Structures are given as structure tokens and as C-alpha cells.
Amino acid sequence: MTIETFNPNTMAAPGGHYSHAAAGGGLVFVAGQLPIDASGRKLSDAPFEAQAMQVLANLQAALVAAGSDKQRLLQVRVYITDIAHWPAFNQLYAAWSGAHRPARAVVPVPQLHFGLLIEVEGMALR
């Protein structure tokens, strides 16, 4: 089986030893996406909703680069630093994903890199 990796130029370069997406065996795995825009600006001071929309845009960009899209998502994992953000995220996510409802976990965590509030990773069909 061939494994391909993807780091599209529509996203900031990975900040560590990883790729934004890896594909093999008909599946795409998207690494945890933080609210970092394409220029590399970390949205640490942005409201939660703006951070959430950025990570969803990053997830979509990684999926598209790997030959997939959000309608082919199988599973999404969401890490948030305050469970009080769950209702806002759920509403934004529902609008973003539409009728498609992949398996999902929302996990409260004590902190994320750079003081950011949310991180999202996913797995999809290619």
C-alpha cells in the first residue's frame, strides 16, 4: 500500500514533524488542526467562534488536498479547552457539515498549544 502525505500551500506549513494529511488504503487522516490561518497567524486572541471556523476551514483544506471533502468524513475529534464552548461549536459544526453526520467526539482538555481554544482532527474516505 502506498501512503501519500499532503501539506497544501493554502495552509500554514506544519509546525512540527508531521503532515496535515496522510492517505492510504482509501482513507484520509487529517492531523489535529489548530486555528492558524494560511499565513501562519495563530488566532490566540480571536473569539472561540472565529477559532472554530478557522479549524473547520483548515480541516476542509487538508481533506481537499488529499482528494476528499467534508461530506466524506467518517470521524471527527474535537478538543476544546472549556466545555462551555460545546454548544457554540455544535451549532457552527452543524451549519458547516450540513446533513452529513460523521461520528464525533468532543473532548475537554486543560490547554492547547499557543493558548488556542480548539483543535480538530478527522478521518475520511478518499
Side-chain angles (χ1 to χ4, degrees):
M1 171 175 60
T2 301
I3 297 172
E4 296 176 78
T5 58
F6 303 88
N7 293 301
N9 60 11
T10 57
M11 300 174 71
H17 188 73
Y18 66 93
S19 294
H20 283 303
L27 297 173
V28 175
F29 297 85
V30 177
Q33 296 299 310
L34 292 167
I36 300 172
D37 70 16
S39 72
R41 184 174 63 95
K42 297 161 186 73
L43 304 183
S44 302
D45 294 330
F48 176 80
E49 291 78 3
Q51 291 192 35
M53 292 308 297
Q54 183 66 59
V55 296
L56 293 173
N58 291 351
L59 176 60
Q60 175 69 3
L63 288 167
V64 169
S68 188
D69 64 46
K70 65 185 175 184
Q71 298 305 314
R72 297 180 62 81
L73 278 166
L74 296 169
Q75 184 179 39
V76 176
R77 288 189 194 99
V78 182
Y79 306 94
I80 56 177
T81 59
D82 186 342
I83 199 67
H85 292 309
W86 188 92
F89 177 76
N90 194 57
Q91 184 176 17
L92 291 168
Y93 179 82
W96 177 80
S97 65
H100 184 59
R101 292 177 177 239
R104 187 183 83 185
V106 178
V107 182
V109 296
Q111 65 184 25
L112 291 167
H113 207 37
F114 310 117
L116 296 163
L117 304 175
I118 183 169
E119 182 171 354
V120 176
E121 63 178 314
M123 181 179 65
L125 294 174
R126 190 163 189 208

